[in-house]
Amino acid sequence: MSDQPEGCDGHCDSCSQKTDTCQKPKKANINVRHVILVLSGKGGVGKSTVSVNLAYALSNHGYQTGLMDLDIHGPSLAKMLGIEDLRLQAIGNKIMPVKVTGSLKVISMALLLNETDSPIVWRGPMKAAAIQQFLGDVEWGELDYLVVDLPPGTGDEALNIVQFAPNVEGAVIVTTPQDVAVLDSTKAIKFIEMMDLPVLGIIENMSGMVCPHCGEVVDLFGKGGGEKAAKQYNVPYLGAIPIDIEMRKAGDEGRPFIVRTPGQTNPTWDAVDQVMENLIAEVEKRDA
């Protein structure tokens, strides 16, 4: 019998009823080799765009991939993937994720809402319960990778997924180059270290804008902040992704950029693909 207080949601750090005999929450029973967390210290750095394109890139390279949208209050992955009109279905006692391709499955709160503009007004315990369901009650099948898109900051959702998910390989930190964004990203690095997890790397997003007319790169937000932070905290630097109008259009149109121009000469496509290759190399290095 569990010694946890009645109504325990696994939020041990902030629990007023915590005792020495409290048990740690059980890990969800999900068959996944690597859980990759994607987070940022602040909003507006393109974290969800990176998550979508990263998951798609992994899928394109033959990996069975799951994508979990844990930005519960502001889910956007369904829109970016063009599946916002679909709704989750259940078979027996299992929730079926939406299949985007034969090797990419997605779960998001947006796929449960009757109206796309309906707000989700939940406190911590309800979010914790939803995260447990997204893990244990979803028919994920066998996954090589589960990419988890977290909301900005280091709050409930990040704590819960670390508690409940098995085989958390580590975290990818997304930042933009300017000092303010990099400062917040370093807090995310410290958070992951506090969770006793490795930082798999930093991605510098919006690293220069490719002019659609002349092809020249303009450093709107500066350059090199992500790489500088990686060196300062001795974590891998996975690469830089430029601002690209076509990437913005891709997200709005629900067809991720990484699948729009495969095989064509495009610096942004090459950058996303290289970031993915660098991430896989980091994961395999730790498996060796």
Side-chain angles (χ1 to χ4, degrees):
M1 182 176 177
S2 172
D3 293 321
Q4 291 173 316
E6 184 178 353
C8 175
D9 64 358
H11 246 107
C12 299
D13 292 338
S14 59
C15 180
S16 61
Q17 305 179 61
K18 182 175 66 174
T19 69
D20 292 338
T21 58
C22 280
Q23 296 177 358
K24 291 183 178 180
K26 289 183 178 180
K27 297 289 187 181
N29 183 18
I30 171 176
N31 188 355
V32 57
R33 291 174 58 208
H34 309 291
V35 175
I36 308 293
L37 311 181
V38 181
L39 72 159
S40 62
K42 67 188 297 295
V45 300
K47 172 185 51 57
S48 293
T49 299
V50 168
S51 297
V52 164
N53 283 281
L54 188 59
Y56 235 116
L58 290 166
S59 170
N60 286 347
H61 280 68
Y63 295 101
Q64 290 295 321
T65 306
L67 178 58
M68 183 184 295
D69 187 354
L70 285 193
D71 195 344
I72 290 174
H73 297 287
S76 57
L77 298 193
K79 169 67 175 176
M80 292 181 175
L81 289 164
I83 57 173
E84 69 269 28
D85 293 332
L86 301 181
R87 292 296 175 265
L88 296 175
Q89 304 294 323
I91 296 180
N93 61 352
K94 284 291 188 178
I95 301 168
M96 307 306 294
V98 171
K99 277 193 172 185
V100 180
T101 71
S103 55
L104 178 59
K105 304 170 185 176
V106 180
I107 195 91
S108 171
M109 280 301 303
L111 301 171
L112 289 167
L113 300 176
N114 291 327
E115 302 292 338
T116 57
D117 59 355
S118 298
I120 298 171
V121 186
W122 285 359
R123 295 185 184 275
M126 292 185 70
K127 290 190 283 187
I131 292 168
Q132 285 179 305
Q133 281 196 304
F134 277 7
L135 286 167
D137 292 347
V138 171
E139 186 57 70
W140 287 109
E142 293 186 13
L143 295 177
D144 296 306
Y145 288 92
L146 176 62
V147 177
V148 180
D149 181 40
L150 287 161
T154 53
D156 288 346
E157 292 86 346
L159 289 167
N160 290 149
I161 195 68
V162 171
Q163 286 180 321
F164 301 144
N167 299 329
V168 178
E169 194 72 37
V172 173
I173 312 295
V174 180
T175 186
T176 47
Q178 72 268 40
D179 289 345
V180 172
V182 172
L183 174 63
D184 288 327
S185 73
T186 59
K187 295 175 183 176
I189 293 172
K190 289 292 187 181
F191 168 77
I192 291 301
E193 291 175 347
M194 288 172 60
M195 295 295 101
D196 200 26
L197 291 170
V199 175
L200 298 173
I202 294 179
I203 297 172
E204 182 175 296
N205 195 32
M206 305 185 194
S207 182
M209 185 189 78
V210 180
C211 175
H213 304 295
C214 67
E216 182 181 351
V217 177
V218 181
D219 295 331
L220 291 177
F221 301 118
K223 197 171 184 67
E227 187 171 12
K228 180 180 177 182
K231 289 179 179 177
Q232 180 181 349
Y233 288 91
N234 195 30
V235 298
Y237 177 61
L238 299 178
I241 300 172
I243 298 174
D244 193 311
I245 292 174
E246 291 303 315
M247 181 173 280
R248 192 271 303 165
K249 289 180 180 177
D252 287 346
E253 294 171 3
R255 189 162 183 258
F257 180 82
I258 197 70
V259 301
R260 289 169 66 94
T261 54
Q264 298 178 14
T265 301
N266 183 290
T268 306
W269 193 94
D270 292 341
V272 174
D273 201 55
Q274 187 59 58
V275 164
M276 185 276 303
E277 295 283 2
N278 292 341
L279 174 59
I280 292 176
E282 283 298 323
V283 172
E284 290 180 344
K285 185 192 303 181
R286 295 173 191 277
D287 280 350

